[in-house]
Amino acid sequence: MSEVPALVDRRALQLARARSLRGGEGPDFLRRRVAEDVADRLAATLRPFTEALDLVSPGGETAAALAARPGVTRVVRAAALAGPGADLACDPEALPFAPESFDLIVSTLALQFANDLPGALAQCRRALRPDGLMLAALLGGDTLTELRQAFAAAEGEVEGGLSPRVLPFADVRALGGLLQRAGFALPVTDVDRVTVRYPHALALMADLRAWGATNALAERRRTPLRRATLGRMIEIYGERFGDPDGRVRATFDIVWLSGWAPHPDQQKPLRPGSARTRLADALGVPEGAPKRPG
């Protein structure tokens, strides 16, 4: 069986990340928002965690949120590249940890770059102890849809063809299915949509570069972006996605995934047909009666 072609050029991605690391990893507003959500979501969990893994989350915000959780005695920060504050450099598609090494694994704003996300999730599942929790936040859904549309329209006008420039982001329902395939129990997914306003499209592109999130697609065009195409893209972006004050919008869909390593004491979903009470009885209405207006 032939190998599936890689979506992301790993070397190009690592070079972009190295530039980002030298520049301070860019603006932190998305990282801070996600780290605060990590703390809130863990606060709603009564299960104690002692040993946690921060899996290639950019910046130090997520590791700090894990260290601040009561009961956590050890946080391993596995970064995409060796650098300040990192305990080790780690490829999320080739985890160097023994089975059942952690009670908690958290990864934020990173796994959207995985070529083999199902494999990465399966490895996380193996690295968790029974009843351990995996919590991940990755970009998905309609993230950067404005940039994708503006580039497609500009290239169609100026060059008569399209080239891939924005990572294709996974749908939340598909990501939920991957959790089940990886063997997680009680999988849950939800989306936090963040709309960020910029003075113009170039400011958004500057942030993407600072985050190490420039175009690293394996099928990208290797020739430099034409000035005319860039100029037309900026015009189209402003025309289609501009606000009355002249600023433009950019969408970031943060998809949250959570799942538990199976354990005999976990709650189990009911088997179909096993319910002992009819819905009509619970609502206090006759079977087949029309619903009361809410």
Side-chain angles (χ1 to χ4, degrees):
M1 182 182 294
S2 60
E3 278 191 22
V4 178
L7 177 65
V8 174
D9 179 340
R10 302 292 296 179
R11 174 170 170 73
L13 178 62
Q14 293 296 75
L15 289 173
R17 284 171 166 168
R19 287 194 298 267
S20 169
L21 195 62
R22 290 194 297 270
E25 297 192 89
D28 65 355
F29 60 89
L30 281 180
R31 299 197 304 268
R32 282 190 290 106
R33 182 188 183 104
V34 170
E36 289 168 3
D37 279 355
V38 165
D40 289 344
R41 288 167 186 261
L42 292 179
T45 303
L46 298 180
R47 163 79 158 83
F49 304 108
T50 56
E51 294 187 275
L53 170 66
D54 174 14
L55 182 60
V56 297
S57 305
E61 293 85 356
T62 294
L66 296 181
R69 178 179 168 86
V72 172
T73 58
R74 176 173 174 249
V75 176
V76 175
R77 185 181 172 204
L81 293 174
D87 294 304
L88 73 159
C90 175
D91 181 348
E93 298 178 53
L95 296 187
F97 307 109
E100 301 186 8
S101 293
F102 301 99
D103 306 297
L104 174 65
I105 297 177
V106 177
S107 178
T108 62
L109 301 178
L111 291 181
Q112 66 271 6
F113 294 115
N115 279 319
D116 181 14
L117 182 55
L121 292 175
Q123 291 187 57
C124 289
R125 158 68 187 85
R126 287 194 293 271
L128 279 174
R129 294 170 185 146
D131 205 31
L133 175 64
M134 168 75 180
L135 180 63
L138 61 158
L139 296 177
D142 289 329
T143 294
L144 298 178
T145 182
E146 302 89 353
L147 187 64
R148 186 193 312 276
Q149 294 179 51
F151 258 126
E155 286 190 309
E157 287 184 22
V158 176
E159 304 184 31
L162 307 181
S163 63
R165 294 195 177 275
V166 179
L167 188 72
F169 294 102
D171 176 77
V172 62
R173 288 168 294 186
L175 291 169
L178 293 184
L179 282 173
Q180 292 180 309
R181 283 175 51 191
F184 284 99
L186 308 173
V188 176
T189 61
D190 62 90
V191 181
D192 176 23
R193 172 161 291 185
V194 181
T195 301
V196 182
R197 300 205 316 144
Y198 286 93
H200 42 70
L202 281 179
L204 165 62
M205 295 176 69
D207 271 3
L208 294 175
R209 181 176 180 82
W211 287 325
T214 49
N215 186 0
L217 290 169
E219 298 299 321
R220 71 191 183 280
R221 186 177 294 171
R222 305 307 170 104
T223 55
L225 175 62
R226 292 170 57 177
R227 184 180 297 271
T229 303
L230 177 61
R232 183 61 184 134
M233 184 280 291
I234 294 169
E235 291 174 354
I236 292 172
Y237 201 119
E239 292 164 2
R240 296 188 182 181
F241 307 109
D243 290 331
D245 62 359
R247 297 174 73 83
V248 298
R249 302 180 300 278
T251 297
F252 296 90
D253 277 354
I254 302 170
V255 182
W256 286 90
L257 312 178
S258 66
W260 296 82
H263 186 277
D265 294 337
Q266 285 171 346
Q267 181 181 357
K268 302 292 191 300
L270 291 174
R271 296 190 307 274
S274 63
R276 297 179 179 272
T277 304
R278 297 184 310 157
L279 178 60
D281 294 338
L283 296 176
V285 298
E287 187 77 35
K291 291 166 57 175
R292 290 172 291 189

